[in-house]
């Protein structure tokens, strides 16, 4: 793999980003060691840990994470431009995995953030790894903006959710991109439509009359129908008050909007700058704030990459052959 520079572009996706750990594990098993790693949002955090040689420690931490630990790492602050300040979790990561400068990494690493006031894409290629990741992860409304290099920076997913272009800029010859949001939330509630037109209401009344008439034919049958109607009534009542049919809350709306935004921006960016291989783990069943489901996400990322093994290896060999052929002709 030393003949060409292989790059990995790790995309945004919040809690789904733990799948990047599984992707990197699978690539290691294939004998692929990237020369370039770029990340957006959660991808910048996992990518930074990988480049710093701390992926083992991060994986152990993620696999052991539960809801209580997630909650304990949230430093709520409603006066800092976000619901969560974010300093607590990134300081914890720095303590656990070690402080290191981007410039000192053996693997070329960079992250994407967005300038809050100009809307411009910002490439972060120097400084403390976890400060860089903190800026790239600053999800608007949830995580407060990060002041860095005399700018207020927010989530890079606003402008470049899967940083293939940054990988190319860092001279990667072959880019493997990981897109975590190709499958929008598959747990959306299925709310049955109701016919509230005059004709529909009349039909419902007629159906009720027919049921009552049938129920009066015999006391035994009437009693059975009564029980059935009672059960149906309570089932309908239950459905009205279960979470599946509640109006989405603030966090649900925010998460859904971010999902949609990231998917649309990713498609637009990749149309102009496609990767050589695109990995799309199916993670729609994991909410973007369900960080305690790391073990599951890691496995999905690993399995997705292993399934693409033959294609990845074949494409790399083709590129190596073409490079060798061009050198001979030169």
């Amino acid at each position: 793999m030393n003949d060409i520079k292989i790059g990995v572009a790790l995309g945004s996706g919040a809690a789904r980003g733990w799948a990047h750990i599984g992707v990197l594990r699978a690539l290691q098993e294939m004998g692929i060691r990237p020369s370039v790693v770029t990340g957006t949002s959660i991808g910048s955090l996992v990518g930074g840990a990988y480049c710093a040689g701390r992926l083992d420690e991060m994986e152990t931490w993620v696999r052991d994470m539960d809801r209580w630990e997630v909650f304990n790492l949230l430093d709520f602050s409603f006066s800092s431009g976000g619901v969560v300040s974010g300093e607590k979790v990134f300081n914890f990561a720095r303590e656990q995995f070690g402080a290191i400068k981007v410039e000192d990494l053996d693997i070329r690493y960079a992250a994407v953030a967005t300038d809050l006031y100009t809307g411009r894409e910002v490439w972060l290629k120097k400084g403390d790894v976890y400060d860089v990741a903190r800026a790239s992860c600053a999800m608007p409304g949830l995580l407060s903006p990060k002041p860095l290099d005399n700018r207020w920076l927010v989530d890079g997913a606003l402008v470049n959710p899967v940083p293939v272009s940054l990988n190319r800029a860092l001279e990667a010859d072959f880019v493997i991109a990981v897109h975590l949001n190709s499958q929008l939330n598959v747990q959306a509630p299925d709310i049955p439509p109701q016919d509230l037109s005059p004709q529909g209401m009349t039909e419902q009344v007629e159906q009720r009359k027919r049921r009552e008439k049938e129920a009066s034919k015999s006391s035994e049958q009437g009693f059975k129908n009564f029980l059935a109607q009672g059960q149906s009534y309570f089932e309908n009542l239950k459905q009205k008050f279960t979470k599946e049919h509640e109006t989405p809350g603030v966090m649900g709306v925010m998460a859904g909007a971010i999902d949609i935004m990231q998917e649309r921006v990713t498609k637009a960016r990749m149309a102009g700058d496609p990767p050589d291989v695109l990995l799309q783990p199916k993670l729609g069943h994991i909410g973007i704030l369900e960080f305690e489901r790391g073990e599951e996400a890691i496995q999905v990322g690993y399995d997705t990459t292993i399934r693409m093994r033959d294609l990845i290896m074949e494409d790399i060999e083709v590129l190596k052959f073409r490079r060798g052929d061009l050198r001979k002709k030169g």
Side-chain angles (χ1 to χ4, degrees):
M1 304 298 176
N2 296 327
D3 296 339
I4 60 174
K5 289 183 179 179
I6 297 176
V8 176
L10 304 176
S12 59
R16 296 168 187 162
W18 299 141
H20 290 315
I21 297 174
V23 170
L24 293 168
R25 286 293 183 212
L27 293 177
Q28 284 180 333
E29 289 186 11
M30 298 177 196
I32 296 175
R33 187 176 187 271
S35 300
V36 179
V37 174
T38 58
T40 296
S41 199
I42 188 69
S44 69
L45 178 61
V46 177
Y50 173 78
C51 293
R54 297 290 188 271
L55 192 65
D56 289 345
E57 292 88 341
M58 173 167 279
E59 182 173 357
T60 299
W61 174 54
V62 170
R63 287 185 181 276
D64 292 340
M65 190 178 293
D66 56 24
R67 288 186 179 181
W68 172 248
E69 183 170 1
V70 173
F71 181 80
N72 193 44
L73 287 172
L74 299 179
D75 43 355
F76 294 101
S77 175
F78 295 94
S79 60
S80 61
V83 176
V84 177
S85 170
E87 299 306 319
K88 189 174 182 180
V89 64
F90 284 91
N91 286 337
F92 176 83
R94 187 181 290 105
E95 292 170 3
Q96 292 294 309
F97 313 134
I100 191 168
K101 297 287 187 181
V102 173
E103 304 93 303
D104 297 332
L105 297 172
D106 294 331
I107 301 172
R108 295 197 72 180
Y109 164 81
V112 176
T114 305
D115 188 310
L116 179 61
Y117 291 106
T118 67
R120 292 178 179 173
E121 181 175 341
V122 179
W123 291 353
L124 303 173
K125 298 183 284 186
K126 63 179 181 178
D128 180 90
V129 168
Y130 296 103
D131 279 343
V132 166
R134 167 68 181 82
S136 184
C137 289
M139 188 184 299
L142 180 63
L143 208 60
S144 61
K146 175 70 176 177
L148 198 65
D149 297 335
N150 298 316
R151 288 177 290 200
W152 283 101
L153 301 179
V154 292
D155 201 331
L158 295 173
V159 291
N160 195 354
V162 185
V164 176
S165 56
L166 178 52
N167 228 279
R168 302 282 190 200
L170 295 180
E171 302 178 343
D173 301 312
F174 185 92
V175 179
I176 301 170
V178 187
H179 176 28
L180 304 175
N181 302 298
S182 62
Q183 184 186 36
L184 296 180
N185 195 337
V186 297
Q187 294 180 323
D190 182 18
I191 303 177
Q194 292 184 344
D195 186 356
L196 299 179
S197 65
Q199 295 84 354
M201 296 296 290
T202 301
E203 178 61 26
Q204 290 181 36
V205 171
E206 292 299 324
Q207 288 179 359
R208 182 177 178 181
K209 287 181 178 179
R210 286 195 293 269
R211 287 196 299 268
E212 290 175 350
K213 185 176 181 180
E214 292 172 359
S216 64
K217 289 182 179 179
S218 69
S219 59
E220 181 179 357
Q221 188 62 39
F223 182 66
K224 289 181 179 178
N225 286 343
F226 172 77
L227 291 178
Q229 289 173 10
Q231 183 179 4
S232 176
Y233 172 79
F234 283 110
E235 284 297 322
N236 290 334
L237 192 65
K238 178 182 177 182
Q239 288 182 1
K240 287 182 180 180
F241 290 96
T242 54
K243 291 183 179 179
E244 291 182 355
H245 298 287
E246 285 181 352
T247 301
V250 174
M251 298 307 295
V253 171
M254 185 184 298
I258 290 170
D259 261 351
I260 295 168
M261 178 271 297
Q262 289 182 124
E263 170 63 4
R264 299 298 182 267
V265 175
T266 299
K267 285 182 177 179
R269 293 297 300 253
M270 285 192 180
D273 194 1
D276 296 282
V277 172
L278 178 61
L279 302 177
Q280 300 186 92
K282 300 303 181 184
L283 297 160
H285 60 290
I286 297 179
I288 65 172
L289 300 178
E290 293 182 309
F291 289 95
E292 72 278 3
R293 298 178 68 178
E295 189 164 9
E296 186 178 350
I298 290 171
Q299 190 63 47
V300 173
Y302 176 85
D303 292 342
T304 299
T305 310
I306 291 297
R307 284 195 295 269
M308 295 284 284
R309 178 190 180 108
D310 291 343
L311 176 63
I312 294 171
M313 302 305 291
E314 181 180 340
D315 285 355
I316 290 175
E317 289 302 318
V318 168
L319 181 58
K320 289 169 67 176
F321 175 79
R322 289 176 178 172
R323 283 290 178 87
D325 194 44
L326 287 173
R327 287 172 184 169
K328 289 179 182 179
K329 290 180 179 179

Coordinates of all heavy atoms in Angstrom, one line a residue, residues 272-322:
G272 N -19.8 16.7 -7.1 CA -18.7 17.4 -7.7 C -17.3 16.8 -7.4 O -16.4 17.0 -8.1
D273 N -17.2 16.1 -6.3 CA -15.9 15.5 -5.9 C -16.2 14.1 -5.3 O -16.1 14.0 -4.1 CB -15.3 16.4 -4.9 CG -13.8 16.1 -4.7 OD1 -13.3 15.2 -5.3 OD2 -13.1 16.8 -3.9
P274 N -16.5 13.1 -6.1 CA -16.8 11.8 -5.6 C -15.5 11.1 -5.0 O -14.4 11.3 -5.5 CB -17.3 11.1 -6.8 CG -16.7 11.7 -7.9 CD -16.5 13.2 -7.6
P275 N -15.7 10.2 -4.0 CA -14.5 9.4 -3.5 C -14.3 8.2 -4.5 O -15.1 8.0 -5.3 CB -15.0 9.0 -2.2 CG -16.5 8.9 -2.3 CD -16.9 10.0 -3.3
D276 N -13.2 7.5 -4.2 CA -13.0 6.3 -5.0 C -13.8 5.2 -4.5 O -14.3 4.3 -5.3 CB -11.5 6.0 -4.9 CG -10.6 7.1 -5.6 OD1 -10.5 7.1 -6.8 OD2 -10.0 7.9 -4.8
V277 N -14.0 5.1 -3.2 CA -14.9 4.1 -2.6 C -15.8 4.8 -1.5 O -15.3 5.6 -0.7 CB -14.1 3.0 -1.9 CG1 -15.0 2.1 -1.1 CG2 -13.3 2.2 -2.9
L278 N -17.1 4.6 -1.6 CA -18.0 5.2 -0.6 C -18.6 4.1 0.2 O -19.3 3.2 -0.2 CB -19.1 5.9 -1.4 CG -20.2 6.5 -0.5 CD1 -19.6 7.6 0.4 CD2 -21.3 7.1 -1.4
L279 N -18.4 4.2 1.5 CA -19.0 3.3 2.5 C -20.2 4.0 3.2 O -20.1 5.1 3.6 CB -17.9 2.9 3.6 CG -16.6 2.3 3.1 CD1 -15.7 2.0 4.3 CD2 -16.9 0.9 2.4
Q280 N -21.3 3.3 3.2 CA -22.5 3.9 3.8 C -23.2 2.9 4.8 O -24.1 2.2 4.4 CB -23.5 4.2 2.6 CG -23.0 5.2 1.6 CD -24.0 5.6 0.6 OE1 -24.7 6.6 0.8 NE2 -24.1 4.8 -0.5
P281 N -22.6 2.9 6.0 CA -23.2 2.0 7.0 C -24.7 2.4 7.2 O -25.0 3.5 7.3 CB -22.4 2.3 8.2 CG -21.1 2.9 7.7 CD -21.5 3.6 6.5
K282 N -25.5 1.3 7.4 CA -27.0 1.6 7.6 C -27.2 1.8 9.1 O -27.3 0.9 9.9 CB -27.8 0.4 7.1 CG -27.6 0.1 5.6 CD -27.9 1.3 4.7 CE -27.7 1.0 3.2 NZ -28.0 2.2 2.4
L283 N -27.4 3.1 9.4 CA -27.4 3.5 10.8 C -28.7 4.3 11.2 O -28.7 4.9 12.2 CB -26.2 4.3 11.2 CG -24.9 3.6 11.1 CD1 -23.7 4.5 11.0 CD2 -24.7 2.6 12.3
G284 N -29.7 4.2 10.3 CA -30.9 5.0 10.5 C -31.6 4.6 11.8 O -32.4 5.4 12.3
H285 N -31.4 3.4 12.3 CA -32.1 3.0 13.5 C -31.4 3.5 14.8 O -31.9 3.4 15.9 CB -32.1 1.4 13.6 CG -30.7 0.8 13.6 ND1 -29.9 0.9 12.5 CD2 -30.0 0.2 14.6 CE1 -28.7 0.3 12.8 NE2 -28.8 -0.1 14.1
I286 N -30.2 4.2 14.6 CA -29.6 4.8 15.8 C -29.7 6.3 15.7 O -29.3 6.9 14.7 CB -28.1 4.4 15.8 CG1 -27.9 2.9 15.9 CG2 -27.3 5.1 16.9 CD1 -26.4 2.4 15.9
G287 N -30.3 6.9 16.7 CA -30.5 8.3 16.8 C -29.2 9.0 16.9 O -28.2 8.5 17.5
I288 N -29.1 10.3 16.4 CA -27.8 11.0 16.4 C -27.4 11.4 17.8 O -26.2 11.8 18.0 CB -27.9 12.2 15.5 CG1 -28.8 13.2 16.0 CG2 -28.2 11.8 14.1 CD1 -28.8 14.6 15.3
L289 N -28.3 11.2 18.8 CA -27.9 11.5 20.2 C -27.8 10.3 21.1 O -27.6 10.4 22.3 CB -28.9 12.5 20.8 CG -29.0 13.9 20.1 CD1 -30.0 14.7 20.7 CD2 -27.7 14.6 20.0
E290 N -27.9 9.1 20.5 CA -27.8 7.9 21.2 C -26.3 7.4 21.3 O -26.0 6.3 20.8 CB -28.7 6.8 20.6 CG -30.2 7.2 20.7 CD -31.1 6.1 20.1 OE1 -30.9 5.7 19.0 OE2 -32.0 5.7 20.8
F291 N -25.5 8.1 22.0 CA -24.1 7.8 22.1 C -23.8 6.5 22.9 O -22.8 6.0 22.8 CB -23.4 9.0 22.8 CG -23.3 10.2 21.9 CD1 -24.2 11.2 22.0 CD2 -22.3 10.3 21.0 CE1 -24.1 12.3 21.2 CE2 -22.2 11.4 20.2 CZ -23.1 12.5 20.3
E292 N -24.8 6.1 23.7 CA -24.6 4.8 24.4 C -24.7 3.6 23.6 O -24.4 2.5 24.1 CB -25.6 4.8 25.6 CG -27.1 4.5 25.2 CD -27.8 5.7 24.7 OE1 -27.2 6.8 24.6 OE2 -29.0 5.5 24.4
R293 N -25.0 3.7 22.3 CA -25.2 2.6 21.4 C -23.9 2.4 20.6 O -23.9 1.9 19.4 CB -26.4 2.7 20.5 CG -27.7 2.8 21.3 CD -28.9 3.0 20.4 NE -29.2 1.8 19.6 CZ -30.2 1.7 18.8 NH1 -31.1 2.8 18.7 NH2 -30.4 0.7 18.1
G294 N -22.8 2.7 21.2 CA -21.5 2.6 20.5 C -21.1 1.2 20.0 O -20.6 1.1 18.9
E295 N -21.3 0.2 20.8 CA -21.0 -1.1 20.4 C -21.7 -1.6 19.2 O -21.1 -2.2 18.3 CB -21.3 -2.1 21.6 CG -20.7 -3.5 21.4 CD -20.7 -4.3 22.6 OE1 -21.2 -3.9 23.7 OE2 -20.1 -5.4 22.6
E296 N -23.0 -1.2 19.1 CA -23.8 -1.5 17.9 C -23.3 -0.8 16.7 O -23.1 -1.4 15.6 CB -25.2 -1.2 18.2 CG -26.2 -1.6 17.2 CD -27.6 -1.2 17.6 OE1 -27.9 -0.8 18.7 OE2 -28.5 -1.3 16.7
A297 N -23.0 0.5 16.8 CA -22.5 1.3 15.7 C -21.2 0.8 15.2 O -20.9 0.7 14.0 CB -22.4 2.8 16.1
I298 N -20.3 0.4 16.1 CA -18.9 -0.1 15.7 C -19.1 -1.3 14.9 O -18.4 -1.5 13.8 CB -18.1 -0.4 17.0 CG1 -17.7 0.9 17.7 CG2 -16.8 -1.2 16.6 CD1 -17.0 0.7 19.0
Q299 N -20.0 -2.2 15.3 CA -20.2 -3.5 14.5 C -20.7 -3.2 13.1 O -20.3 -3.8 12.2 CB -21.1 -4.4 15.3 CG -21.2 -5.8 14.7 CD -19.9 -6.5 14.8 OE1 -19.2 -6.5 15.8 NE2 -19.5 -7.1 13.7
V300 N -21.7 -2.3 13.0 CA -22.2 -1.9 11.7 C -21.1 -1.4 10.8 O -21.1 -1.7 9.6 CB -23.4 -0.9 11.8 CG1 -23.9 -0.5 10.5 CG2 -24.5 -1.5 12.6
G301 N -20.3 -0.5 11.3 CA -19.2 0.1 10.5 C -18.2 -1.0 10.1 O -17.8 -1.0 8.9
Y302 N -17.9 -1.9 11.0 CA -17.0 -3.0 10.6 C -17.6 -3.9 9.6 O -16.9 -4.2 8.6 CB -16.7 -3.8 11.9 CG -15.8 -5.0 11.7 CD1 -14.4 -4.9 11.7 CD2 -16.4 -6.3 11.5 CE1 -13.6 -6.0 11.4 CE2 -15.6 -7.4 11.2 CZ -14.2 -7.2 11.2 OH -13.4 -8.3 11.0
D303 N -18.8 -4.3 9.8 CA -19.4 -5.2 8.8 C -19.6 -4.6 7.4 O -19.4 -5.3 6.4 CB -20.8 -5.7 9.3 CG -20.8 -6.5 10.6 OD1 -19.7 -7.1 10.8 OD2 -21.8 -6.6 11.3
T304 N -19.9 -3.3 7.4 CA -20.1 -2.6 6.1 C -18.8 -2.6 5.3 O -18.7 -2.9 4.1 CB -20.5 -1.2 6.3 OG1 -21.8 -1.2 7.0 CG2 -20.7 -0.4 5.0
T305 N -17.7 -2.4 6.0 CA -16.4 -2.3 5.4 C -15.9 -3.7 4.9 O -15.3 -3.8 3.8 CB -15.3 -1.7 6.4 OG1 -15.9 -0.5 6.9 CG2 -14.0 -1.4 5.7
I306 N -16.1 -4.7 5.7 CA -15.7 -6.0 5.4 C -16.5 -6.5 4.1 O -15.9 -7.1 3.2 CB -16.0 -7.0 6.5 CG1 -15.0 -6.7 7.7 CG2 -15.8 -8.5 6.0 CD1 -13.5 -6.9 7.3
R307 N -17.7 -6.1 4.0 CA -18.5 -6.5 2.8 C -17.9 -5.8 1.5 O -18.1 -6.4 0.4 CB -20.0 -6.1 3.0 CG -20.8 -7.0 3.9 CD -22.3 -6.8 3.7 NE -22.7 -5.5 4.1 CZ -23.0 -5.2 5.4 NH1 -23.1 -6.2 6.3 NH2 -23.4 -4.0 5.7
M308 N -17.3 -4.7 1.7 CA -16.7 -4.0 0.6 C -15.2 -4.3 0.3 O -14.6 -3.7 -0.5 CB -16.9 -2.5 0.8 CG -18.3 -2.0 0.9 SD -19.0 -1.9 -0.8 CE -18.2 -0.4 -1.4
R309 N -14.7 -5.3 1.1 CA -13.3 -5.6 1.0 C -12.8 -5.9 -0.4 O -11.8 -5.3 -0.8 CB -13.0 -6.8 1.9 CG -11.6 -7.3 1.9 CD -11.4 -8.6 2.6 NE -10.0 -9.0 2.5 CZ -9.2 -9.0 3.6 NH1 -9.6 -8.7 4.8 NH2 -7.9 -9.4 3.5
D310 N -13.5 -6.7 -1.1 CA -13.0 -7.1 -2.4 C -12.9 -5.9 -3.4 O -12.0 -5.7 -4.1 CB -13.9 -8.2 -3.0 CG -13.7 -9.5 -2.3 OD1 -12.7 -9.7 -1.6 OD2 -14.6 -10.4 -2.5
L311 N -14.0 -5.1 -3.3 CA -14.0 -3.9 -4.2 C -12.9 -2.9 -3.8 O -12.2 -2.4 -4.7 CB -15.4 -3.2 -4.0 CG -15.5 -1.9 -4.8 CD1 -15.4 -2.1 -6.3 CD2 -16.8 -1.2 -4.5
I312 N -12.7 -2.7 -2.5 CA -11.6 -1.8 -2.1 C -10.2 -2.3 -2.6 O -9.5 -1.5 -3.2 CB -11.6 -1.6 -0.6 CG1 -12.9 -1.0 -0.1 CG2 -10.4 -0.8 -0.1 CD1 -13.1 -1.0 1.4
M313 N -9.9 -3.5 -2.3 CA -8.6 -4.1 -2.7 C -8.4 -4.1 -4.2 O -7.3 -3.8 -4.7 CB -8.5 -5.5 -2.1 CG -8.6 -5.6 -0.6 SD -7.5 -4.5 0.3 CE -5.9 -5.2 0.0
E314 N -9.5 -4.4 -4.9 CA -9.4 -4.4 -6.4 C -9.1 -3.0 -6.9 O -8.3 -2.8 -7.8 CB -10.7 -5.0 -7.0 CG -10.7 -5.1 -8.5 CD -12.0 -5.6 -9.0 OE1 -12.7 -6.3 -8.3 OE2 -12.2 -5.4 -10.2
D315 N -9.8 -2.0 -6.4 CA -9.7 -0.7 -6.9 C -8.3 -0.1 -6.6 O -7.7 0.6 -7.4 CB -10.7 0.3 -6.3 CG -12.1 0.0 -6.9 OD1 -12.2 -0.7 -7.9 OD2 -13.1 0.6 -6.5
I316 N -7.8 -0.5 -5.4 CA -6.4 0.0 -5.1 C -5.4 -0.7 -6.0 O -4.5 0.0 -6.5 CB -6.1 -0.4 -3.6 CG1 -6.9 0.5 -2.6 CG2 -4.6 -0.2 -3.3 CD1 -6.8 0.1 -1.2
E317 N -5.6 -2.0 -6.3 CA -4.6 -2.6 -7.2 C -4.7 -2.0 -8.6 O -3.6 -1.9 -9.3 CB -4.9 -4.1 -7.2 CG -4.6 -4.9 -5.9 CD -3.1 -4.7 -5.6 OE1 -2.3 -4.8 -6.5 OE2 -2.8 -4.5 -4.4
V318 N -5.9 -1.7 -9.0 CA -6.0 -1.1 -10.4 C -5.3 0.2 -10.4 O -4.6 0.5 -11.4 CB -7.5 -0.9 -10.7 CG1 -7.7 0.0 -11.9 CG2 -8.2 -2.2 -11.0
L319 N -5.4 1.1 -9.4 CA -4.7 2.3 -9.3 C -3.2 2.1 -9.3 O -2.5 2.9 -10.0 CB -5.2 3.2 -8.1 CG -4.5 4.5 -8.0 CD1 -4.8 5.4 -9.2 CD2 -5.1 5.2 -6.7
K320 N -2.7 1.2 -8.5 CA -1.3 0.9 -8.5 C -0.8 0.5 -9.8 O 0.3 0.9 -10.2 CB -1.0 -0.2 -7.4 CG -1.2 0.3 -6.0 CD -1.2 -0.8 -5.0 CE 0.2 -1.5 -4.9 NZ 0.2 -2.5 -3.8
F321 N -1.6 -0.4 -10.5 CA -1.1 -0.8 -11.8 C -1.0 0.3 -12.8 O -0.1 0.4 -13.6 CB -2.1 -1.9 -12.4 CG -1.9 -2.3 -13.8 CD1 -0.9 -3.3 -14.0 CD2 -2.6 -1.8 -14.8 CE1 -0.6 -3.7 -15.3 CE2 -2.3 -2.2 -16.1 CZ -1.4 -3.1 -16.4
R322 N -2.0 1.2 -12.8 CA -2.0 2.4 -13.7 C -0.8 3.3 -13.4 O -0.2 3.8 -14.3 CB -3.3 3.2 -13.5 CG -4.5 2.4 -14.1 CD -5.8 3.2 -13.9 NE -7.0 2.6 -14.5 CZ -8.2 3.0 -14.3 NH1 -8.5 4.0 -13.4 NH2 -9.2 2.3 -14.8

